[in-house]
């Protein structure tokens, strides 16, 4: 029994089944598969899969993302994203690599590559009293 418990705990998979409706945010360390409806944000260091019947309205931030269903919202994948042929995505994508299969629908912007640290914006110039006009 000890081995079975180790296998289950090391391969964590969360499933939102077909017919389930959730409104709210989900944060997990394991993989998550959406076959139902979710309105909210998903954050995980693992993989998010939206199944063919899955519908997500919100944002996804994950290591890897695979879409077969419908997503309306922005997605960020730290590694890779796949839009399968049945995918219907409306929103912006940020990822390192992307695969878009034939017949997948994607409406939005895609930005690819590793995110570089951004320099702090330059401070605004101080007001110069000589530039003010007296009336």
């Amino acid at each position: 029994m000890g081995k079975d418990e180790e296998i289950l705990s090391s391969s964590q998979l969360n499933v939102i089944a077909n017919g389930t409706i959730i409104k709210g945010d989900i944060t997990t360390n394991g993989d998550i598969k959406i076959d139902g409806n979710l309105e909210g944000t998903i954050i995980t260091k693992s993989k998010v899969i939206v199944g063919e019947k899955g519908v997500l309205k919100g944002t996804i931030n994950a290591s890897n993302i695979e879409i077969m269903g419908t997503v309306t919202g922005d997605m960020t994948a730290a590694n890779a994203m796949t839009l399968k042929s049945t995918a219907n995505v409306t929103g912006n994508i940020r990822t390192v690599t992307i695969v878009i299969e034939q017949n997948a629908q994607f409406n939005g912007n895609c930005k690819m590559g590793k995110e570089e640290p951004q320099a702090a914006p330059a401070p605004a110039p101080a007001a110069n009293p000589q530039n003010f006009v007296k009336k």
Side-chain angles (χ1 to χ4, degrees):
M1 284 198 151
K3 275 189 171 180
D4 290 341
E5 290 173 11
E6 288 179 83
I7 291 171
L8 291 175
S9 65
S10 66
S11 59
Q12 181 184 15
L13 174 64
N14 301 285
V15 178
I16 298 174
N18 188 12
T20 302
I21 299 171
I22 294 179
K23 290 185 180 184
D25 300 336
I26 297 174
T27 302
T28 182
N29 287 325
D31 295 346
I32 185 162
K33 183 172 184 193
I34 313 284
D35 286 323
N37 292 328
L38 173 68
E39 189 174 322
T41 299
I42 298 175
I43 299 172
T44 182
K45 294 179 181 177
S46 294
K47 184 175 188 175
V48 173
I49 301 168
V50 178
E52 280 191 50
K53 296 183 180 186
V55 176
L56 180 116
K57 290 181 183 178
T59 59
I60 300 175
N61 190 330
S63 180
N64 297 295
I65 301 172
E66 182 175 318
I67 308 297
M68 294 176 265
T70 302
V71 175
T72 303
D74 296 342
M75 296 182 284
T76 301
N79 295 315
M81 182 174 301
T82 303
L83 304 182
K84 296 291 192 175
S85 63
T86 55
N88 186 344
V89 174
T90 303
N92 298 317
I93 292 175
R94 172 95 179 139
T95 186
V96 176
T97 60
I98 189 167
V99 174
I100 302 176
E101 292 184 356
Q102 187 174 349
N103 296 325
Q105 296 180 23
F106 168 53
N107 294 296
N109 295 307
C110 180
K111 187 167 185 180
M112 294 177 59
K114 294 249 184 223
E115 203 166 306
E116 298 293 327
Q118 295 182 347
N128 185 347
Q130 294 174 350
N131 291 339
F132 292 105
V133 178
K134 292 182 182 180
K135 291 186 179 184

